[in-house]
Short mmCIF file of all heavy atoms in Angstrom, two decimals:
data_model
loop_
_atom_site.label_atom_id
_atom_site.label_comp_id
_atom_site.label_asym_id
_atom_site.label_seq_id
_atom_site.Cartn_x
_atom_site.Cartn_y
_atom_site.Cartn_z
N LYS Y 243 64.38 89.98 145.41
CA LYS Y 243 64.63 91.40 145.23
C LYS Y 243 63.37 92.08 144.66
O LYS Y 243 62.62 91.46 143.92
CB LYS Y 243 65.80 91.65 144.27
CG LYS Y 243 67.13 91.05 144.68
CD LYS Y 243 67.79 91.83 145.81
CE LYS Y 243 69.15 91.23 146.14
NZ LYS Y 243 69.79 91.94 147.28
N LEU Y 244 63.17 93.33 145.04
CA LEU Y 244 62.02 94.08 144.55
C LEU Y 244 62.51 95.47 144.13
O LEU Y 244 62.94 96.26 144.97
CB LEU Y 244 60.97 94.19 145.66
CG LEU Y 244 59.62 94.81 145.37
CD1 LEU Y 244 58.98 94.22 144.12
CD2 LEU Y 244 58.69 94.64 146.56
N TYR Y 245 62.47 95.74 142.84
CA TYR Y 245 63.09 96.95 142.32
C TYR Y 245 62.06 97.88 141.67
O TYR Y 245 61.01 97.46 141.20
CB TYR Y 245 64.12 96.61 141.24
CG TYR Y 245 65.36 95.92 141.73
CD1 TYR Y 245 65.64 94.61 141.36
CD2 TYR Y 245 66.27 96.59 142.56
CE1 TYR Y 245 66.79 93.96 141.79
CE2 TYR Y 245 67.42 95.93 143.00
CZ TYR Y 245 67.66 94.63 142.62
OH TYR Y 245 68.81 93.99 143.06
N VAL Y 246 62.43 99.17 141.63
CA VAL Y 246 61.73 100.16 140.79
C VAL Y 246 62.73 100.65 139.76
O VAL Y 246 63.86 101.03 140.11
CB VAL Y 246 61.22 101.33 141.65
CG1 VAL Y 246 60.60 102.41 140.72
CG2 VAL Y 246 60.22 100.89 142.67
N VAL Y 247 62.35 100.59 138.48
CA VAL Y 247 63.25 101.08 137.42
C VAL Y 247 62.77 102.45 136.96
O VAL Y 247 61.57 102.70 136.81
CB VAL Y 247 63.30 100.09 136.23
CG1 VAL Y 247 61.90 99.88 135.62
CG2 VAL Y 247 64.26 100.58 135.15
N GLU Y 248 63.73 103.34 136.80
CA GLU Y 248 63.41 104.73 136.43
C GLU Y 248 63.15 104.83 134.94
O GLU Y 248 63.92 105.43 134.19
CB GLU Y 248 64.57 105.63 136.84
CG GLU Y 248 64.20 107.09 136.95
CD GLU Y 248 65.34 107.94 137.50
OE1 GLU Y 248 66.44 107.41 137.72
OE2 GLU Y 248 65.12 109.14 137.67
N GLY Y 249 62.06 104.20 134.53
CA GLY Y 249 61.70 104.20 133.11
C GLY Y 249 61.23 105.54 132.61
O GLY Y 249 61.17 105.78 131.41
N SER Y 250 60.89 106.45 133.51
CA SER Y 250 60.34 107.76 133.14
C SER Y 250 61.35 108.64 132.43
O SER Y 250 61.01 109.61 131.80
CB SER Y 250 59.78 108.49 134.36
OG SER Y 250 60.78 108.62 135.36
N LYS Y 251 62.67 108.30 132.55
CA LYS Y 251 63.67 109.06 131.81
C LYS Y 251 63.66 108.73 130.33
O LYS Y 251 64.19 109.47 129.51
CB LYS Y 251 65.07 108.76 132.39
CG LYS Y 251 65.39 109.54 133.66
CD LYS Y 251 66.86 109.47 133.96
CE LYS Y 251 67.20 110.39 135.13
NZ LYS Y 251 68.66 110.36 135.44
N ARG Y 252 63.06 107.59 130.01
CA ARG Y 252 63.03 107.13 128.64
C ARG Y 252 61.64 107.38 128.01
O ARG Y 252 61.54 107.83 126.87
CB ARG Y 252 63.35 105.64 128.59
CG ARG Y 252 63.55 105.03 127.26
CD ARG Y 252 63.86 103.55 127.38
NE ARG Y 252 65.00 103.29 128.27
CZ ARG Y 252 66.26 103.38 127.88
NH1 ARG Y 252 66.53 103.68 126.64
NH2 ARG Y 252 67.24 103.13 128.73
N SER Y 253 60.60 107.03 128.76
CA SER Y 253 59.25 107.11 128.23
C SER Y 253 58.27 107.15 129.41
O SER Y 253 58.58 106.75 130.51
CB SER Y 253 58.95 105.91 127.34
OG SER Y 253 57.60 105.83 127.03
N SER Y 254 57.04 107.60 129.14
CA SER Y 254 56.04 107.62 130.19
C SER Y 254 55.14 106.38 130.11
O SER Y 254 54.16 106.26 130.85
CB SER Y 254 55.17 108.87 130.09
OG SER Y 254 54.54 108.96 128.85
N HIS Y 255 55.47 105.41 129.23
CA HIS Y 255 54.75 104.15 129.17
C HIS Y 255 55.05 103.32 130.41
O HIS Y 255 56.15 103.42 131.01
CB HIS Y 255 55.08 103.36 127.91
CG HIS Y 255 54.58 104.03 126.64
ND1 HIS Y 255 53.23 104.23 126.41
CD2 HIS Y 255 55.23 104.52 125.57
CE1 HIS Y 255 53.08 104.83 125.23
NE2 HIS Y 255 54.28 105.02 124.72
N SER Y 256 54.13 102.45 130.82
CA SER Y 256 54.26 101.72 132.06
C SER Y 256 54.43 100.20 131.83
O SER Y 256 54.04 99.68 130.79
CB SER Y 256 52.99 101.91 132.91
OG SER Y 256 52.72 103.28 133.08
N ASN Y 257 55.01 99.54 132.86
CA ASN Y 257 55.18 98.09 132.76
C ASN Y 257 55.57 97.54 134.12
O ASN Y 257 55.90 98.29 135.05
CB ASN Y 257 56.29 97.76 131.75
CG ASN Y 257 56.20 96.35 131.24
OD1 ASN Y 257 55.29 95.60 131.62
ND2 ASN Y 257 57.15 95.95 130.42
N ALA Y 258 55.51 96.23 134.24
CA ALA Y 258 55.99 95.50 135.43
C ALA Y 258 56.34 94.10 134.96
O ALA Y 258 55.66 93.56 134.08
CB ALA Y 258 54.93 95.46 136.53
N TYR Y 259 57.39 93.50 135.53
CA TYR Y 259 57.75 92.15 135.12
C TYR Y 259 58.58 91.50 136.22
O TYR Y 259 59.03 92.17 137.17
CB TYR Y 259 58.54 92.17 133.80
CG TYR Y 259 59.85 92.90 133.86
CD1 TYR Y 259 61.04 92.24 134.19
CD2 TYR Y 259 59.92 94.28 133.60
CE1 TYR Y 259 62.26 92.92 134.22
CE2 TYR Y 259 61.15 94.95 133.63
CZ TYR Y 259 62.30 94.26 133.95
OH TYR Y 259 63.50 94.92 134.01
N PHE Y 260 58.75 90.17 136.10
CA PHE Y 260 59.65 89.47 137.01
C PHE Y 260 60.63 88.67 136.18
O PHE Y 260 60.41 88.39 135.01
CB PHE Y 260 58.86 88.56 137.99
CG PHE Y 260 58.22 87.37 137.35
CD1 PHE Y 260 58.91 86.19 137.17
CD2 PHE Y 260 56.89 87.42 136.91
CE1 PHE Y 260 58.31 85.08 136.58
CE2 PHE Y 260 56.30 86.33 136.31
CZ PHE Y 260 57.01 85.14 136.15
N TYR Y 261 61.76 88.32 136.79
CA TYR Y 261 62.78 87.54 136.09
C TYR Y 261 63.55 86.74 137.11
O TYR Y 261 63.41 86.91 138.33
CB TYR Y 261 63.72 88.46 135.29
CG TYR Y 261 64.56 89.36 136.15
CD1 TYR Y 261 65.84 88.98 136.56
CD2 TYR Y 261 64.11 90.63 136.52
CE1 TYR Y 261 66.63 89.81 137.34
CE2 TYR Y 261 64.88 91.46 137.30
CZ TYR Y 261 66.13 91.05 137.71
OH TYR Y 261 66.91 91.89 138.49
N GLY Y 262 64.39 85.87 136.59
CA GLY Y 262 65.19 85.00 137.44
C GLY Y 262 64.79 83.55 137.28
O GLY Y 262 63.67 83.21 136.92
N LEU Y 263 65.76 82.66 137.57
CA LEU Y 263 65.51 81.22 137.42
C LEU Y 263 65.39 80.55 138.77
O LEU Y 263 66.01 80.99 139.76
CB LEU Y 263 66.65 80.59 136.62
CG LEU Y 263 66.83 81.10 135.17
CD1 LEU Y 263 68.07 80.50 134.54
CD2 LEU Y 263 65.60 80.81 134.33
N TRP Y 264 64.64 79.49 138.80
CA TRP Y 264 64.50 78.63 139.97
C TRP Y 264 64.13 79.41 141.22
O TRP Y 264 63.12 80.11 141.22
CB TRP Y 264 65.80 77.80 140.14
CG TRP Y 264 66.01 76.94 138.96
CD1 TRP Y 264 65.24 75.88 138.53
CD2 TRP Y 264 67.06 77.07 137.98
NE1 TRP Y 264 65.73 75.35 137.36
CE2 TRP Y 264 66.85 76.06 136.99
CE3 TRP Y 264 68.15 77.95 137.82
CZ2 TRP Y 264 67.68 75.88 135.89
CZ3 TRP Y 264 68.97 77.77 136.73
CH2 TRP Y 264 68.73 76.77 135.79
N ASN Y 265 64.93 79.34 142.27
CA ASN Y 265 64.51 79.90 143.57
C ASN Y 265 65.07 81.30 143.82
O ASN Y 265 65.23 81.71 144.97
CB ASN Y 265 64.96 78.96 144.70
CG ASN Y 265 64.19 77.66 144.67
OD1 ASN Y 265 62.99 77.65 144.35
ND2 ASN Y 265 64.85 76.57 144.94
N SER Y 266 65.33 82.04 142.77
CA SER Y 266 65.80 83.43 142.92
C SER Y 266 65.06 84.29 141.92
O SER Y 266 65.46 84.38 140.76
CB SER Y 266 67.32 83.51 142.71
OG SER Y 266 67.74 84.84 142.86
N LYS Y 267 63.98 84.91 142.37
CA LYS Y 267 63.15 85.74 141.48
C LYS Y 267 63.19 87.20 141.93
O LYS Y 267 63.27 87.50 143.13
CB LYS Y 267 61.69 85.27 141.51
CG LYS Y 267 61.49 83.79 141.21
CD LYS Y 267 61.67 83.48 139.75
CE LYS Y 267 61.28 82.05 139.44
NZ LYS Y 267 61.54 81.68 138.06
N ARG Y 268 63.14 88.06 140.94
CA ARG Y 268 63.11 89.51 141.19
C ARG Y 268 61.93 90.12 140.47
O ARG Y 268 61.65 89.77 139.34
CB ARG Y 268 64.43 90.15 140.72
CG ARG Y 268 65.64 89.66 141.49
CD ARG Y 268 66.93 90.03 140.74
NE ARG Y 268 68.12 89.72 141.52
CZ ARG Y 268 68.71 88.53 141.58
NH1 ARG Y 268 68.19 87.53 140.92
NH2 ARG Y 268 69.79 88.35 142.29
N ILE Y 269 61.27 91.06 141.13
CA ILE Y 269 60.15 91.79 140.54
C ILE Y 269 60.61 93.22 140.27
O ILE Y 269 61.26 93.83 141.11
CB ILE Y 269 58.93 91.81 141.46
CG1 ILE Y 269 58.30 90.38 141.55
CG2 ILE Y 269 57.89 92.79 140.97
CD1 ILE Y 269 57.14 90.29 142.53
N VAL Y 270 60.32 93.70 139.07
CA VAL Y 270 60.66 95.07 138.67
C VAL Y 270 59.38 95.84 138.33
O VAL Y 270 58.57 95.39 137.54
CB VAL Y 270 61.61 95.07 137.46
CG1 VAL Y 270 61.90 96.50 137.02
CG2 VAL Y 270 62.91 94.36 137.79
N LEU Y 271 59.23 97.01 138.96
CA LEU Y 271 58.10 97.90 138.68
C LEU Y 271 58.66 99.16 137.99
O LEU Y 271 59.63 99.74 138.45
CB LEU Y 271 57.40 98.30 139.98
CG LEU Y 271 56.96 97.20 140.93
CD1 LEU Y 271 56.46 97.82 142.24
CD2 LEU Y 271 55.88 96.36 140.30
N PHE Y 272 58.03 99.57 136.93
CA PHE Y 272 58.40 100.84 136.32
C PHE Y 272 57.85 101.97 137.21
O PHE Y 272 56.75 101.86 137.74
CB PHE Y 272 57.79 100.98 134.93
CG PHE Y 272 58.60 100.29 133.85
CD1 PHE Y 272 59.00 98.96 134.00
CD2 PHE Y 272 58.96 100.98 132.70
CE1 PHE Y 272 59.75 98.35 133.02
CE2 PHE Y 272 59.71 100.36 131.70
CZ PHE Y 272 60.12 99.03 131.86
N ASP Y 273 58.63 103.02 137.39
CA ASP Y 273 58.16 104.12 138.24
C ASP Y 273 56.90 104.74 137.66
O ASP Y 273 56.05 105.26 138.40
CB ASP Y 273 59.24 105.18 138.45
CG ASP Y 273 59.74 105.82 137.16
OD1 ASP Y 273 59.43 105.31 136.07
OD2 ASP Y 273 60.45 106.85 137.24
N THR Y 274 56.73 104.62 136.33
CA THR Y 274 55.52 105.17 135.69
C THR Y 274 54.28 104.35 136.00
O THR Y 274 53.15 104.81 135.81
CB THR Y 274 55.72 105.21 134.17
OG1 THR Y 274 56.26 103.96 133.73
CG2 THR Y 274 56.66 106.31 133.79
N LEU Y 275 54.48 103.12 136.54
CA LEU Y 275 53.33 102.29 136.93
C LEU Y 275 52.75 102.80 138.25
O LEU Y 275 51.55 102.65 138.51
CB LEU Y 275 53.77 100.83 137.05
CG LEU Y 275 52.72 99.84 137.55
CD1 LEU Y 275 51.63 99.63 136.50
CD2 LEU Y 275 53.36 98.50 137.89
N LEU Y 276 53.62 103.35 139.10
CA LEU Y 276 53.21 103.77 140.44
C LEU Y 276 52.54 105.13 140.40
O LEU Y 276 52.91 106.00 139.63
CB LEU Y 276 54.42 103.81 141.36
CG LEU Y 276 55.28 102.53 141.39
CD1 LEU Y 276 56.50 102.73 142.29
CD2 LEU Y 276 54.46 101.34 141.85
N LEU Y 277 51.56 105.32 141.29
CA LEU Y 277 50.87 106.58 141.38
C LEU Y 277 51.87 107.69 141.70
O LEU Y 277 52.65 107.59 142.66
CB LEU Y 277 49.81 106.52 142.48
CG LEU Y 277 48.90 107.75 142.61
CD1 LEU Y 277 48.09 107.97 141.34
CD2 LEU Y 277 47.96 107.61 143.81
N ASN Y 278 51.86 108.77 140.90
CA ASN Y 278 52.81 109.89 141.05
C ASN Y 278 54.25 109.40 141.09
O ASN Y 278 55.08 109.96 141.84
CB ASN Y 278 52.49 110.69 142.32
CG ASN Y 278 51.11 111.32 142.26
OD1 ASN Y 278 50.70 111.83 141.20
ND2 ASN Y 278 50.39 111.28 143.36
N LYS Y 279 54.54 108.36 140.29
CA LYS Y 279 55.87 107.74 140.21
C LYS Y 279 56.37 107.23 141.58
O LYS Y 279 57.58 107.09 141.81
CB LYS Y 279 56.89 108.75 139.64
CG LYS Y 279 56.61 109.14 138.20
CD LYS Y 279 57.67 110.09 137.69
CE LYS Y 279 57.36 110.54 136.28
NZ LYS Y 279 58.32 111.51 135.77
N GLY Y 280 55.43 106.96 142.46
CA GLY Y 280 55.78 106.40 143.77
C GLY Y 280 56.29 107.42 144.74
O GLY Y 280 56.79 107.08 145.83
N LYS Y 281 56.20 108.72 144.40
CA LYS Y 281 56.76 109.78 145.25
C LYS Y 281 55.71 110.29 146.23
O LYS Y 281 54.55 110.55 145.84
CB LYS Y 281 57.29 110.92 144.39
CG LYS Y 281 58.47 110.52 143.53
CD LYS Y 281 58.97 111.69 142.71
CE LYS Y 281 60.19 111.29 141.87
NZ LYS Y 281 60.72 112.42 141.06
N LYS Y 282 56.12 110.45 147.48
CA LYS Y 282 55.22 111.02 148.48
C LYS Y 282 55.15 112.54 148.34
O LYS Y 282 54.10 113.15 148.51
CB LYS Y 282 55.71 110.64 149.88
CG LYS Y 282 55.62 109.12 150.16
CD LYS Y 282 56.20 108.77 151.51
CE LYS Y 282 56.12 107.25 151.72
NZ LYS Y 282 56.75 106.86 153.00
N ASP Y 283 56.27 113.15 148.00
CA ASP Y 283 56.33 114.60 147.77
C ASP Y 283 56.19 114.84 146.27
O ASP Y 283 57.10 114.50 145.49
CB ASP Y 283 57.64 115.17 148.29
CG ASP Y 283 57.72 116.68 148.12
OD1 ASP Y 283 56.69 117.27 147.68
OD2 ASP Y 283 58.78 117.27 148.40
N ILE Y 284 55.06 115.39 145.84
CA ILE Y 284 54.82 115.54 144.39
C ILE Y 284 55.03 116.97 143.92
O ILE Y 284 54.65 117.32 142.80
CB ILE Y 284 53.39 115.09 144.03
CG1 ILE Y 284 52.32 115.96 144.74
CG2 ILE Y 284 53.19 113.63 144.37
CD1 ILE Y 284 50.92 115.68 144.26
N THR Y 285 55.65 117.79 144.77
CA THR Y 285 55.83 119.20 144.37
C THR Y 285 56.78 119.34 143.17
O THR Y 285 56.67 120.27 142.39
CB THR Y 285 56.43 120.01 145.54
OG1 THR Y 285 57.61 119.36 146.04
CG2 THR Y 285 55.41 120.12 146.67
N ASP Y 286 57.72 118.37 143.01
CA ASP Y 286 58.65 118.42 141.91
C ASP Y 286 58.13 117.79 140.63
O ASP Y 286 58.75 117.89 139.56
CB ASP Y 286 59.97 117.70 142.28
CG ASP Y 286 60.71 118.44 143.40
OD1 ASP Y 286 60.48 119.65 143.51
OD2 ASP Y 286 61.47 117.79 144.13
N LEU Y 287 56.96 117.13 140.74
CA LEU Y 287 56.39 116.47 139.56
C LEU Y 287 55.79 117.48 138.60
O LEU Y 287 55.23 118.48 139.03
CB LEU Y 287 55.30 115.47 139.97
CG LEU Y 287 55.70 114.06 140.41
CD1 LEU Y 287 54.45 113.27 140.71
CD2 LEU Y 287 56.54 113.37 139.38
N LYS Y 288 55.92 117.21 137.30
CA LYS Y 288 55.24 118.04 136.32
C LYS Y 288 53.74 117.80 136.41
O LYS Y 288 53.30 116.73 136.79
CB LYS Y 288 55.74 117.68 134.91
CG LYS Y 288 57.22 117.97 134.68
CD LYS Y 288 57.62 117.55 133.28
CE LYS Y 288 59.11 117.81 133.06
NZ LYS Y 288 59.56 117.39 131.69
N ASP Y 289 52.98 118.83 136.07
CA ASP Y 289 51.53 118.73 136.16
C ASP Y 289 51.00 117.56 135.34
O ASP Y 289 50.03 116.88 135.73
CB ASP Y 289 50.88 120.03 135.66
CG ASP Y 289 51.10 121.19 136.65
OD1 ASP Y 289 51.39 120.92 137.83
OD2 ASP Y 289 50.99 122.36 136.22
N GLU Y 290 51.65 117.29 134.19
CA GLU Y 290 51.17 116.22 133.31
C GLU Y 290 51.38 114.83 133.93
O GLU Y 290 50.72 113.88 133.52
CB GLU Y 290 51.93 116.27 131.98
CG GLU Y 290 53.41 116.02 132.10
CD GLU Y 290 54.20 116.45 130.88
OE1 GLU Y 290 54.08 117.59 130.45
OE2 GLU Y 290 54.94 115.59 130.37
N ASP Y 291 52.29 114.74 134.93
CA ASP Y 291 52.56 113.44 135.57
C ASP Y 291 51.76 113.24 136.86
O ASP Y 291 51.69 112.12 137.36
CB ASP Y 291 54.05 113.32 135.88
CG ASP Y 291 54.91 113.25 134.61
OD1 ASP Y 291 54.42 112.67 133.63
OD2 ASP Y 291 56.03 113.76 134.62
N LYS Y 292 51.20 114.31 137.37
CA LYS Y 292 50.46 114.20 138.63
C LYS Y 292 49.16 113.43 138.43
O LYS Y 292 48.40 113.67 137.49
CB LYS Y 292 50.16 115.60 139.18
CG LYS Y 292 51.41 116.32 139.67
CD LYS Y 292 51.09 117.72 140.19
CE LYS Y 292 52.35 118.43 140.66
NZ LYS Y 292 52.08 119.83 141.09
N GLY Y 293 48.92 112.50 139.33
CA GLY Y 293 47.70 111.69 139.27
C GLY Y 293 47.78 110.49 138.35
O GLY Y 293 46.88 109.67 138.31
N LYS Y 294 48.92 110.37 137.61
CA LYS Y 294 49.09 109.21 136.73
C LYS Y 294 49.64 108.03 137.51
O LYS Y 294 50.37 108.20 138.50
CB LYS Y 294 50.02 109.56 135.57
CG LYS Y 294 49.33 110.36 134.47
CD LYS Y 294 50.19 110.43 133.23
CE LYS Y 294 49.46 111.10 132.07
NZ LYS Y 294 50.27 111.12 130.84
N GLY Y 295 49.36 106.84 137.01
CA GLY Y 295 49.84 105.63 137.65
C GLY Y 295 48.76 104.97 138.47
O GLY Y 295 47.62 105.46 138.59
N CYS Y 296 49.09 103.81 139.05
CA CYS Y 296 48.11 102.99 139.77
C CYS Y 296 48.28 103.13 141.28
O CYS Y 296 49.39 103.32 141.79
CB CYS Y 296 48.28 101.53 139.38
SG CYS Y 296 47.95 101.19 137.64
N THR Y 297 47.16 102.98 141.99
CA THR Y 297 47.21 102.93 143.45
C THR Y 297 47.90 101.64 143.89
O THR Y 297 48.11 100.74 143.09
CB THR Y 297 45.80 103.00 144.03
OG1 THR Y 297 45.09 101.79 143.64
CG2 THR Y 297 45.05 104.23 143.56
N ASN Y 298 48.23 101.58 145.17
CA ASN Y 298 48.91 100.37 145.69
C ASN Y 298 48.08 99.11 145.43
O ASN Y 298 48.60 98.07 145.08
CB ASN Y 298 49.18 100.52 147.19
CG ASN Y 298 50.27 101.52 147.47
OD1 ASN Y 298 50.93 102.02 146.57
ND2 ASN Y 298 50.46 101.87 148.74
N GLU Y 299 46.77 99.24 145.62
CA GLU Y 299 45.87 98.07 145.43
C GLU Y 299 45.86 97.64 143.95
O GLU Y 299 45.82 96.45 143.65
CB GLU Y 299 44.44 98.40 145.89
CG GLU Y 299 44.29 98.62 147.36
CD GLU Y 299 44.67 100.06 147.79
OE1 GLU Y 299 45.01 100.87 146.89
OE2 GLU Y 299 44.63 100.33 149.00
N GLU Y 300 45.90 98.63 143.07
CA GLU Y 300 45.90 98.32 141.64
C GLU Y 300 47.23 97.72 141.20
O GLU Y 300 47.27 96.80 140.38
CB GLU Y 300 45.58 99.58 140.84
CG GLU Y 300 44.12 100.03 141.00
CD GLU Y 300 43.89 101.49 140.56
OE1 GLU Y 300 44.86 102.18 140.25
OE2 GLU Y 300 42.72 101.89 140.54
N VAL Y 301 48.33 98.21 141.77
CA VAL Y 301 49.66 97.64 141.48
C VAL Y 301 49.68 96.19 141.92
O VAL Y 301 50.19 95.30 141.22
CB VAL Y 301 50.78 98.43 142.14
CG1 VAL Y 301 52.12 97.70 142.03
CG2 VAL Y 301 50.89 99.83 141.55
N LEU Y 302 49.10 95.93 143.09
CA LEU Y 302 49.06 94.58 143.63
C LEU Y 302 48.24 93.65 142.71
O LEU Y 302 48.60 92.50 142.50
CB LEU Y 302 48.46 94.61 145.03
CG LEU Y 302 48.83 93.45 145.97
CD1 LEU Y 302 50.32 93.43 146.22
CD2 LEU Y 302 48.11 93.58 147.29
N ALA Y 303 47.16 94.20 142.14
CA ALA Y 303 46.33 93.41 141.22
C ALA Y 303 47.10 93.08 139.96
O ALA Y 303 47.02 91.96 139.43
CB ALA Y 303 45.07 94.19 140.87
N VAL Y 304 47.87 94.07 139.44
CA VAL Y 304 48.70 93.81 138.27
C VAL Y 304 49.73 92.73 138.54
O VAL Y 304 49.96 91.84 137.72
CB VAL Y 304 49.43 95.13 137.83
CG1 VAL Y 304 50.47 94.84 136.74
CG2 VAL Y 304 48.42 96.14 137.32
N LEU Y 305 50.33 92.76 139.73
CA LEU Y 305 51.32 91.75 140.11
C LEU Y 305 50.63 90.41 140.32
O LEU Y 305 51.25 89.36 140.09
CB LEU Y 305 52.08 92.18 141.34
CG LEU Y 305 53.11 93.29 141.11
CD1 LEU Y 305 53.78 93.68 142.41
CD2 LEU Y 305 54.16 92.85 140.10
N GLY Y 306 49.39 90.42 140.77
CA GLY Y 306 48.65 89.16 140.90
C GLY Y 306 48.52 88.49 139.55
O GLY Y 306 48.65 87.26 139.43
#
Side-chain angles (χ1 to χ4, degrees):
K243 301 285 184 182
L244 186 50
Y245 291 114
V246 175
V247 59
E248 199 174 3
S250 55
K251 279 194 173 182
R252 189 181 305 277
S253 168
S254 59
H255 292 298
S256 308
N257 200 2
Y259 63 91
F260 69 87
Y261 66 92
L263 299 175
W264 298 295
N265 292 322
S266 179
K267 305 285 187 186
R268 296 164 173 84
I269 290 176
V270 176
L271 308 172
F272 277 51
D273 60 348
T274 47
L275 177 68
L276 307 177
L277 184 63
N278 297 321
K279 295 182 182 177
K281 295 181 179 180
K282 294 176 182 177
D283 182 6
I284 62 172
T285 54
D286 294 335
L287 277 182
K288 295 179 181 178
D289 290 340
E290 64 196 53
D291 294 327
K292 290 178 181 177
K294 282 192 174 182
C296 296
T297 64
N298 289 352
E299 293 82 3
E300 289 163 353
V301 171
L302 205 61
V304 170
L305 286 178

